[in-house]
PDB file of all heavy atoms in Angstrom:
ATOM      1  N   TYR A   1      -8.261  -1.632  -3.600  1.00 97.00           N
ATOM      2  CA  TYR A   1      -7.817  -0.995  -2.397  1.00 97.00           C
ATOM      3  C   TYR A   1      -7.990   0.571  -2.572  1.00 97.00           C
ATOM      4  O   TYR A   1      -7.014   1.219  -2.466  1.00 97.00           O
ATOM      5  CB  TYR A   1      -6.472  -1.379  -1.967  1.00 97.00           C
ATOM      6  CG  TYR A   1      -6.401  -2.810  -1.424  1.00 97.00           C
ATOM      7  CD1 TYR A   1      -6.155  -3.861  -2.265  1.00 97.00           C
ATOM      8  CD2 TYR A   1      -6.507  -3.113  -0.062  1.00 97.00           C
ATOM      9  CE1 TYR A   1      -6.103  -5.172  -1.919  1.00 97.00           C
ATOM     10  CE2 TYR A   1      -6.590  -4.378   0.328  1.00 97.00           C
ATOM     11  CZ  TYR A   1      -6.285  -5.444  -0.548  1.00 97.00           C
ATOM     12  OH  TYR A   1      -6.259  -6.728  -0.021  1.00 97.00           O
ATOM     13  N   PRO A   2      -9.160   1.068  -2.864  1.00 96.00           N
ATOM     14  CA  PRO A   2      -9.280   2.506  -3.196  1.00 96.00           C
ATOM     15  C   PRO A   2      -9.000   3.321  -2.050  1.00 96.00           C
ATOM     16  O   PRO A   2      -8.760   4.574  -2.267  1.00 96.00           O
ATOM     17  CB  PRO A   2     -10.742   2.508  -3.616  1.00 96.00           C
ATOM     18  CG  PRO A   2     -11.469   1.483  -2.966  1.00 96.00           C
ATOM     19  CD  PRO A   2     -10.494   0.332  -3.017  1.00 96.00           C
ATOM     20  N   ASN A   3      -8.982   2.886  -0.831  1.00 96.00           N
ATOM     21  CA  ASN A   3      -8.812   3.764   0.377  1.00 96.00           C
ATOM     22  C   ASN A   3      -7.375   3.753   0.812  1.00 96.00           C
ATOM     23  O   ASN A   3      -7.001   4.317   1.917  1.00 96.00           O
ATOM     24  CB  ASN A   3      -9.717   3.339   1.445  1.00 96.00           C
ATOM     25  CG  ASN A   3     -11.123   3.494   1.192  1.00 96.00           C
ATOM     26  OD1 ASN A   3     -11.546   4.503   0.594  1.00 96.00           O
ATOM     27  ND2 ASN A   3     -12.020   2.561   1.528  1.00 96.00           N
ATOM     28  N   ASN A   4      -6.539   3.037   0.076  1.00 97.00           N
ATOM     29  CA  ASN A   4      -5.133   3.008   0.560  1.00 97.00           C
ATOM     30  C   ASN A   4      -4.232   3.886  -0.370  1.00 97.00           C
ATOM     31  O   ASN A   4      -4.369   3.878  -1.559  1.00 97.00           O
ATOM     32  CB  ASN A   4      -4.541   1.581   0.346  1.00 97.00           C
ATOM     33  CG  ASN A   4      -5.108   0.649   1.404  1.00 97.00           C
ATOM     34  OD1 ASN A   4      -6.288   0.285   1.290  1.00 97.00           O
ATOM     35  ND2 ASN A   4      -4.311   0.243   2.346  1.00 97.00           N
ATOM     36  N   ALA A   5      -3.496   4.805   0.239  1.00 97.00           N
ATOM     37  CA  ALA A   5      -2.501   5.675  -0.465  1.00 97.00           C
ATOM     38  C   ALA A   5      -1.367   4.929  -1.038  1.00 97.00           C
ATOM     39  O   ALA A   5      -0.845   3.951  -0.317  1.00 97.00           O
ATOM     40  CB  ALA A   5      -2.193   6.900   0.397  1.00 97.00           C
ATOM     41  N   TRP A   6      -0.692   5.341  -2.012  1.00 98.00           N
ATOM     42  CA  TRP A   6       0.564   4.805  -2.487  1.00 98.00           C
ATOM     43  C   TRP A   6       1.267   5.833  -3.325  1.00 98.00           C
ATOM     44  O   TRP A   6       0.728   6.754  -3.789  1.00 98.00           O
ATOM     45  CB  TRP A   6       0.270   3.558  -3.246  1.00 98.00           C
ATOM     46  CG  TRP A   6      -0.720   3.693  -4.309  1.00 98.00           C
ATOM     47  CD1 TRP A   6      -2.142   3.504  -4.286  1.00 98.00           C
ATOM     48  CD2 TRP A   6      -0.555   4.054  -5.782  1.00 98.00           C
ATOM     49  NE1 TRP A   6      -2.715   3.788  -5.484  1.00 98.00           N
ATOM     50  CE2 TRP A   6      -1.755   4.129  -6.389  1.00 98.00           C
ATOM     51  CE3 TRP A   6       0.581   4.345  -6.556  1.00 98.00           C
ATOM     52  CZ2 TRP A   6      -1.955   4.441  -7.739  1.00 98.00           C
ATOM     53  CZ3 TRP A   6       0.570   4.699  -7.788  1.00 98.00           C
ATOM     54  CH2 TRP A   6      -0.764   4.710  -8.477  1.00 98.00           C
ATOM     55  N   GLU A   7       2.487   5.531  -3.586  1.00 98.00           N
ATOM     56  CA  GLU A   7       3.410   6.285  -4.447  1.00 98.00           C
ATOM     57  C   GLU A   7       4.236   5.402  -5.254  1.00 98.00           C
ATOM     58  O   GLU A   7       4.714   4.272  -4.784  1.00 98.00           O
ATOM     59  CB  GLU A   7       4.399   7.236  -3.702  1.00 98.00           C
ATOM     60  CG  GLU A   7       3.674   8.356  -2.854  1.00 98.00           C
ATOM     61  CD  GLU A   7       3.240   7.727  -1.482  1.00 98.00           C
ATOM     62  OE1 GLU A   7       3.941   6.845  -0.934  1.00 98.00           O
ATOM     63  OE2 GLU A   7       2.108   8.294  -0.993  1.00 98.00           O
ATOM     64  N   ARG A   8       4.375   5.647  -6.568  1.00 97.00           N
ATOM     65  CA  ARG A   8       5.166   4.938  -7.468  1.00 97.00           C
ATOM     66  C   ARG A   8       6.067   5.733  -8.365  1.00 97.00           C
ATOM     67  O   ARG A   8       5.631   6.718  -8.834  1.00 97.00           O
ATOM     68  CB  ARG A   8       4.312   4.000  -8.436  1.00 97.00           C
ATOM     69  CG  ARG A   8       5.130   2.969  -9.353  1.00 97.00           C
ATOM     70  CD  ARG A   8       4.284   2.110 -10.111  1.00 97.00           C
ATOM     71  NE  ARG A   8       3.336   2.805 -11.008  1.00 97.00           N
ATOM     72  CZ  ARG A   8       3.825   3.238 -12.197  1.00 97.00           C
ATOM     73  NH1 ARG A   8       5.027   3.171 -12.604  1.00 97.00           N
ATOM     74  NH2 ARG A   8       2.869   3.857 -13.020  1.00 97.00           N
ATOM     75  N   TYR A   9       7.342   5.386  -8.372  1.00 97.00           N
ATOM     76  CA  TYR A   9       8.187   6.091  -9.258  1.00 97.00           C
ATOM     77  C   TYR A   9       8.892   5.038 -10.059  1.00 97.00           C
ATOM     78  O   TYR A   9       9.739   4.256  -9.641  1.00 97.00           O
ATOM     79  CB  TYR A   9       9.302   6.855  -8.519  1.00 97.00           C
ATOM     80  CG  TYR A   9      10.122   7.789  -9.301  1.00 97.00           C
ATOM     81  CD1 TYR A   9       9.865   9.093  -9.395  1.00 97.00           C
ATOM     82  CD2 TYR A   9      11.252   7.419 -10.081  1.00 97.00           C
ATOM     83  CE1 TYR A   9      10.541  10.036 -10.162  1.00 97.00           C
ATOM     84  CE2 TYR A   9      11.976   8.209 -10.871  1.00 97.00           C
ATOM     85  CZ  TYR A   9      11.649   9.545 -10.847  1.00 97.00           C
ATOM     86  OH  TYR A   9      12.291  10.449 -11.705  1.00 97.00           O
ATOM     87  N   ALA A  10       8.433   4.895 -11.337  1.00 93.00           N
ATOM     88  CA  ALA A  10       8.847   3.774 -12.222  1.00 93.00           C
ATOM     89  C   ALA A  10       8.465   2.417 -11.626  1.00 93.00           C
ATOM     90  O   ALA A  10       7.427   2.189 -11.128  1.00 93.00           O
ATOM     91  CB  ALA A  10      10.295   3.823 -12.590  1.00 93.00           C
ATOM     92  N   ASP A  11       9.536   1.567 -11.322  1.00 93.00           N
ATOM     93  CA  ASP A  11       9.111   0.361 -10.547  1.00 93.00           C
ATOM     94  C   ASP A  11       9.365   0.327  -9.144  1.00 93.00           C
ATOM     95  O   ASP A  11       9.314  -0.682  -8.509  1.00 93.00           O
ATOM     96  CB  ASP A  11      10.000  -0.771 -11.271  1.00 93.00           C
ATOM     97  CG  ASP A  11      11.542  -0.602 -11.171  1.00 93.00           C
ATOM     98  OD1 ASP A  11      11.936   0.582 -11.101  1.00 93.00           O
ATOM     99  OD2 ASP A  11      12.186  -1.569 -11.084  1.00 93.00           O
ATOM    100  N   ASP A  12       9.640   1.517  -8.561  1.00 95.00           N
ATOM    101  CA  ASP A  12       9.827   1.704  -7.152  1.00 95.00           C
ATOM    102  C   ASP A  12       8.504   2.176  -6.591  1.00 95.00           C
ATOM    103  O   ASP A  12       7.989   3.110  -6.920  1.00 95.00           O
ATOM    104  CB  ASP A  12      10.945   2.641  -6.762  1.00 95.00           C
ATOM    105  CG  ASP A  12      12.240   2.104  -7.038  1.00 95.00           C
ATOM    106  OD1 ASP A  12      12.436   0.905  -7.018  1.00 95.00           O
ATOM    107  OD2 ASP A  12      13.224   2.865  -7.329  1.00 95.00           O
ATOM    108  N   SER A  13       7.949   1.384  -5.614  1.00 97.00           N
ATOM    109  CA  SER A  13       6.617   1.750  -4.993  1.00 97.00           C
ATOM    110  C   SER A  13       6.608   1.510  -3.431  1.00 97.00           C
ATOM    111  O   SER A  13       7.394   0.691  -2.922  1.00 97.00           O
ATOM    112  CB  SER A  13       5.580   0.783  -5.612  1.00 97.00           C
ATOM    113  OG  SER A  13       5.618   0.858  -6.983  1.00 97.00           O
ATOM    114  N   VAL A  14       5.708   2.315  -2.869  1.00 98.00           N
ATOM    115  CA  VAL A  14       5.359   2.183  -1.361  1.00 98.00           C
ATOM    116  C   VAL A  14       3.868   2.226  -1.334  1.00 98.00           C
ATOM    117  O   VAL A  14       3.232   3.095  -1.993  1.00 98.00           O
ATOM    118  CB  VAL A  14       6.036   3.160  -0.434  1.00 98.00           C
ATOM    119  CG1 VAL A  14       7.587   2.949  -0.388  1.00 98.00           C
ATOM    120  CG2 VAL A  14       5.830   4.582  -0.840  1.00 98.00           C
ATOM    121  N   ILE A  15       3.278   1.311  -0.557  1.00 98.00           N
ATOM    122  CA  ILE A  15       1.875   1.301  -0.397  1.00 98.00           C
ATOM    123  C   ILE A  15       1.520   1.496   1.069  1.00 98.00           C
ATOM    124  O   ILE A  15       2.139   0.759   1.982  1.00 98.00           O
ATOM    125  CB  ILE A  15       1.237  -0.056  -0.860  1.00 98.00           C
ATOM    126  CG1 ILE A  15       1.607  -0.150  -2.356  1.00 98.00           C
ATOM    127  CG2 ILE A  15      -0.267   0.015  -0.768  1.00 98.00           C
ATOM    128  CD1 ILE A  15       1.240  -1.535  -2.902  1.00 98.00           C
ATOM    129  N   HIS A  16       0.609   2.314   1.459  1.00 98.00           N
ATOM    130  CA  HIS A  16       0.409   2.656   2.894  1.00 98.00           C
ATOM    131  C   HIS A  16      -0.948   1.913   3.261  1.00 98.00           C
ATOM    132  O   HIS A  16      -1.985   1.859   2.580  1.00 98.00           O
ATOM    133  CB  HIS A  16       0.149   4.187   3.001  1.00 98.00           C
ATOM    134  CG  HIS A  16       1.340   5.010   2.598  1.00 98.00           C
ATOM    135  ND1 HIS A  16       2.298   5.420   3.338  1.00 98.00           N
ATOM    136  CD2 HIS A  16       1.625   5.445   1.292  1.00 98.00           C
ATOM    137  CE1 HIS A  16       3.220   6.012   2.665  1.00 98.00           C
ATOM    138  NE2 HIS A  16       2.736   6.130   1.406  1.00 98.00           N
ATOM    139  N   CYS A  17      -0.746   1.373   4.536  1.00 97.00           N
ATOM    140  CA  CYS A  17      -1.929   0.534   5.081  1.00 97.00           C
ATOM    141  C   CYS A  17      -2.155   1.005   6.606  1.00 97.00           C
ATOM    142  O   CYS A  17      -1.296   1.552   7.210  1.00 97.00           O
ATOM    143  CB  CYS A  17      -1.571  -1.036   5.162  1.00 97.00           C
ATOM    144  SG  CYS A  17      -1.171  -1.603   3.410  1.00 97.00           S
ATOM    145  N   ARG A  18      -3.282   0.616   6.991  1.00 96.00           N
ATOM    146  CA  ARG A  18      -3.794   1.022   8.276  1.00 96.00           C
ATOM    147  C   ARG A  18      -3.345   0.079   9.498  1.00 96.00           C
ATOM    148  O   ARG A  18      -3.335   0.390  10.573  1.00 96.00           O
ATOM    149  CB  ARG A  18      -5.230   1.213   8.366  1.00 96.00           C
ATOM    150  CG  ARG A  18      -5.750   2.478   7.560  1.00 96.00           C
ATOM    151  CD  ARG A  18      -7.236   2.531   7.469  1.00 96.00           C
ATOM    152  NE  ARG A  18      -7.640   3.715   6.728  1.00 96.00           N
ATOM    153  CZ  ARG A  18      -7.728   3.810   5.338  1.00 96.00           C
ATOM    154  NH1 ARG A  18      -7.275   2.706   4.659  1.00 96.00           N
ATOM    155  NH2 ARG A  18      -7.947   4.849   4.808  1.00 96.00           N
ATOM    156  N   SER A  19      -3.168  -1.183   9.153  1.00 94.00           N
ATOM    157  CA  SER A  19      -2.796  -2.248  10.053  1.00 94.00           C
ATOM    158  C   SER A  19      -1.884  -3.286   9.384  1.00 94.00           C
ATOM    159  O   SER A  19      -1.804  -3.399   8.204  1.00 94.00           O
ATOM    160  CB  SER A  19      -4.083  -2.935  10.507  1.00 94.00           C
ATOM    161  OG  SER A  19      -4.742  -3.645   9.565  1.00 94.00           O
ATOM    162  N   ARG A  20      -1.254  -4.003  10.304  1.00 94.00           N
ATOM    163  CA  ARG A  20      -0.406  -5.074   9.715  1.00 94.00           C
ATOM    164  C   ARG A  20      -1.133  -6.119   9.018  1.00 94.00           C
ATOM    165  O   ARG A  20      -0.718  -6.629   7.928  1.00 94.00           O
ATOM    166  CB  ARG A  20       0.437  -5.739  10.860  1.00 94.00           C
ATOM    167  CG  ARG A  20       1.273  -6.853  10.440  1.00 94.00           C
ATOM    168  CD  ARG A  20       2.111  -7.573  11.597  1.00 94.00           C
ATOM    169  NE  ARG A  20       3.192  -6.724  12.108  1.00 94.00           N
ATOM    170  CZ  ARG A  20       4.051  -7.106  12.995  1.00 94.00           C
ATOM    171  NH1 ARG A  20       3.883  -8.187  13.595  1.00 94.00           N
ATOM    172  NH2 ARG A  20       4.972  -6.187  13.311  1.00 94.00           N
ATOM    173  N   TRP A  21      -2.367  -6.395   9.595  1.00 96.00           N
ATOM    174  CA  TRP A  21      -3.221  -7.523   8.869  1.00 96.00           C
ATOM    175  C   TRP A  21      -3.569  -6.976   7.474  1.00 96.00           C
ATOM    176  O   TRP A  21      -3.454  -7.794   6.579  1.00 96.00           O
ATOM    177  CB  TRP A  21      -4.434  -7.580   9.686  1.00 96.00           C
ATOM    178  CG  TRP A  21      -5.422  -8.501   9.047  1.00 96.00           C
ATOM    179  CD1 TRP A  21      -5.394  -9.890   9.232  1.00 96.00           C
ATOM    180  CD2 TRP A  21      -6.511  -8.245   8.236  1.00 96.00           C
ATOM    181  NE1 TRP A  21      -6.483 -10.479   8.450  1.00 96.00           N
ATOM    182  CE2 TRP A  21      -7.115  -9.465   7.932  1.00 96.00           C
ATOM    183  CE3 TRP A  21      -7.023  -7.025   7.833  1.00 96.00           C
ATOM    184  CZ2 TRP A  21      -8.244  -9.522   6.952  1.00 96.00           C
ATOM    185  CZ3 TRP A  21      -8.083  -7.087   6.808  1.00 96.00           C
ATOM    186  CH2 TRP A  21      -8.791  -8.246   6.464  1.00 96.00           C
ATOM    187  N   GLU A  22      -3.886  -5.770   7.353  1.00 97.00           N
ATOM    188  CA  GLU A  22      -4.276  -5.235   5.926  1.00 97.00           C
ATOM    189  C   GLU A  22      -3.101  -5.231   5.078  1.00 97.00           C
ATOM    190  O   GLU A  22      -3.163  -5.606   3.880  1.00 97.00           O
ATOM    191  CB  GLU A  22      -4.839  -3.802   6.079  1.00 97.00           C
ATOM    192  CG  GLU A  22      -5.192  -3.186   4.728  1.00 97.00           C
ATOM    193  CD  GLU A  22      -5.646  -1.803   4.859  1.00 97.00           C
ATOM    194  OE1 GLU A  22      -4.965  -1.011   5.516  1.00 97.00           O
ATOM    195  OE2 GLU A  22      -6.753  -1.529   4.282  1.00 97.00           O
ATOM    196  N   ALA A  23      -1.875  -4.793   5.561  1.00 97.00           N
ATOM    197  CA  ALA A  23      -0.608  -4.914   4.797  1.00 97.00           C
ATOM    198  C   ALA A  23      -0.289  -6.326   4.346  1.00 97.00           C
ATOM    199  O   ALA A  23       0.107  -6.492   3.159  1.00 97.00           O
ATOM    200  CB  ALA A  23       0.585  -4.388   5.628  1.00 97.00           C
ATOM    201  N   ARG A  24      -0.502  -7.296   5.196  1.00 96.00           N
ATOM    202  CA  ARG A  24      -0.199  -8.704   4.816  1.00 96.00           C
ATOM    203  C   ARG A  24      -1.223  -9.210   3.776  1.00 96.00           C
ATOM    204  O   ARG A  24      -0.801  -9.917   2.833  1.00 96.00           O
ATOM    205  CB  ARG A  24      -0.268  -9.595   6.063  1.00 96.00           C
ATOM    206  CG  ARG A  24       0.949  -9.511   6.964  1.00 96.00           C
ATOM    207  CD  ARG A  24       0.761 -10.269   8.249  1.00 96.00           C
ATOM    208  NE  ARG A  24       1.885 -10.276   9.112  1.00 96.00           N
ATOM    209  CZ  ARG A  24       2.082 -10.756  10.221  1.00 96.00           C
ATOM    210  NH1 ARG A  24       0.937 -11.222  10.941  1.00 96.00           N
ATOM    211  NH2 ARG A  24       3.118 -10.657  11.041  1.00 96.00           N
ATOM    212  N   LEU A  25      -2.471  -8.845   3.882  1.00 97.00           N
ATOM    213  CA  LEU A  25      -3.420  -9.313   2.894  1.00 97.00           C
ATOM    214  C   LEU A  25      -3.238  -8.686   1.576  1.00 97.00           C
ATOM    215  O   LEU A  25      -3.177  -9.379   0.588  1.00 97.00           O
ATOM    216  CB  LEU A  25      -4.834  -8.923   3.540  1.00 97.00           C
ATOM    217  CG  LEU A  25      -6.001  -9.270   2.469  1.00 97.00           C
ATOM    218  CD1 LEU A  25      -6.174 -10.801   2.326  1.00 97.00           C
ATOM    219  CD2 LEU A  25      -7.308  -8.673   3.075  1.00 97.00           C
TER     220      LEU A  25
END
């Protein structure tokens, strides 16, 4: 998923998606 931004601090992470479908996949 090279086009998705994300942030990770140790084991805490958030991943950004453009749609709910993409997030579920």
Side-chain angles (χ1 to χ4, degrees):
Y1 290 89
N3 297 320
N4 291 71
W6 51 272
E7 296 81 35
R8 180 174 67 80
Y9 192 97
D11 59 329
D12 291 331
S13 307
V14 291
I15 304 172
H16 304 268
C17 301
R18 292 174 180 80
S19 66
R20 176 181 285 185
W21 177 86
E22 183 184 48
R24 286 174 172 171
L25 177 64

